[in-house]
Amino acid sequence: MGAQSIAALDDVPPEQLQAGRAPVVPRHSLPLIVDLDGTLVRTDTLHESLLALAFRRPWHLVGAVAAMRRGRAVFKRHVGRVSVLDWAALPFDPHVLSLIERRRAAGDPVHLVTAADQSIADGVGSALKLFETATGSDGSHNLRGSAKAAYLAERFPDGFDYVGDCVSDIAVWRETGRATLAGGSKRLAMRLEGEGLTTTMLPCHRARASDWVRLMRPRRWLANLLLFLPLLTAPEDGRADLVLRFGIAWLLFGMAGSAANMLGELGDLALERRHPIRRSGPLAAGRIGIGTALTLSFVLLAAALAGGALLGGTIAVALLGYAGLLLVCHPRPGRMLAGLLGAAGMAAILLSAGLMLAGHPLV
């Protein structure tokens, strides 16, 4: 890729690991500056904070909207003050953490500098205890792009190394003449190479096909086969004509269920990340972003309701009730009874919808 190649970050060479020899860690003379969102953590802490407000303290969103009109830095300060995140449970990028540990072992100071609000920088810094300092936006100035570049150039006039992940970081990398890129964006790496910046690309954490399948919760789709039970009671001469309607309805219930499951998981991200199994899920681990999951869930739910309206207004109502019940009864520790009642309610909705599709009156 161009005259300069993009190098992967390597561990200590094997020849340095011979018996009786301590690893020789390359010595760096410059401080390492680490970005937060999309770099140190595989998520956006502002999105995380807004999500926490929406599900836990929705009344604070009114103040957040008002603060947005006064500037992005003011908006971040307001959201940071009224939301509480589980700092230690955030999905940290292991490759960035490894780089930090190596640079610390070499004696280099490491600083966290982020466009997130200072309260978030302080929370992450206190949780990790890896940084000399943690600096964020101060409520007046948004520490991003050229503003961050100017700040770092003034604070570290003798130079620094910087780890970032997005286009807004290019201004910072221009100050250093080299880039360490997290997140695995090959397009951004090519752009950096085109500007003559020596680029070191950290391993990426892209979503796999299995992550998208897992996000859709296929077992829920199998449970929805209960919808077909009333089809067996339909007259045989008209049953074949109903199969297509039932198949479409089953697809719509699957879409609505997937949407509700995504929203439920987003609302419980902190709990998901503390669970020994679910913390490896695509949302909890940050392989699929919050914005992507929200968009997909709303698209699926809207498409399901629109399709339900075409099948009949009562089917659309059943779909909405099914999704709402699934969201309210999303599995949580210590709520087994609520989960059982929710499962019973969803089964009743599926059977009722099947009876309506088969032409049986409910009353």
Side-chain angles (χ1 to χ4, degrees), residues 220 223-224 226 322 325-331 335-351:
R220 170 61 56 189
N224 290 347
L226 185 63
Y322 174 85
L325 190 58
L326 184 54
L327 178 59
V328 171
C329 298
H330 183 74
R335 295 189 56 184
M336 183 177 295
L337 179 59
L340 292 174
L341 292 175
M346 287 181 284
I349 290 175
L350 287 168
L351 289 173

Side-chain angles (χ1 to χ4, degrees), residues 9 34-43 87-101 124 128 130-131 163-165 181-185 201-206 284-287:
L9 198 67
V34 181
D35 184 34
L36 179 61
D37 296 328
T39 301
L40 179 61
V41 293
R42 297 171 169 177
T43 186
W87 310 113
L90 289 173
F92 294 99
D93 191 316
H95 305 293
V96 177
L97 290 177
S98 177
L99 172 61
I100 293 172
E101 292 289 1
V124 173
L128 290 184
L130 294 175
F131 303 104
V163 189
D165 72 294
L181 177 61
S185 174
M201 195 169 180
L202 298 178
C204 64
H205 50 267
R206 297 183 185 279
R287 292 190 300 276

Side-chain angles (χ1 to χ4, degrees), residues 228-306:
F228 286 92
L229 189 59
L231 180 61
L232 301 177
T233 66
E236 287 194 19
D237 56 348
R239 189 177 300 173
D241 297 333
L242 291 175
V243 171
L244 179 59
R245 287 175 58 85
F246 269 83
I248 293 174
W250 176 77
L251 179 64
L252 297 177
F253 273 98
M255 293 164 59
S258 293
N261 275 315
M262 284 182 219
L263 292 173
E265 190 172 342
L266 286 170
D268 288 335
L269 271 182
L271 293 176
E272 296 283 329
R273 288 169 178 160
R274 291 292 184 180
H275 192 276
I277 297 176
R278 292 202 292 266
R279 66 185 180 188
S280 64
L283 290 180
R287 292 190 300 276
I288 295 177
I290 290 174
T292 300
L294 275 175
T295 301
L296 180 58
S297 64
F298 286 128
V299 168
L300 286 173
L301 185 57
L305 294 178

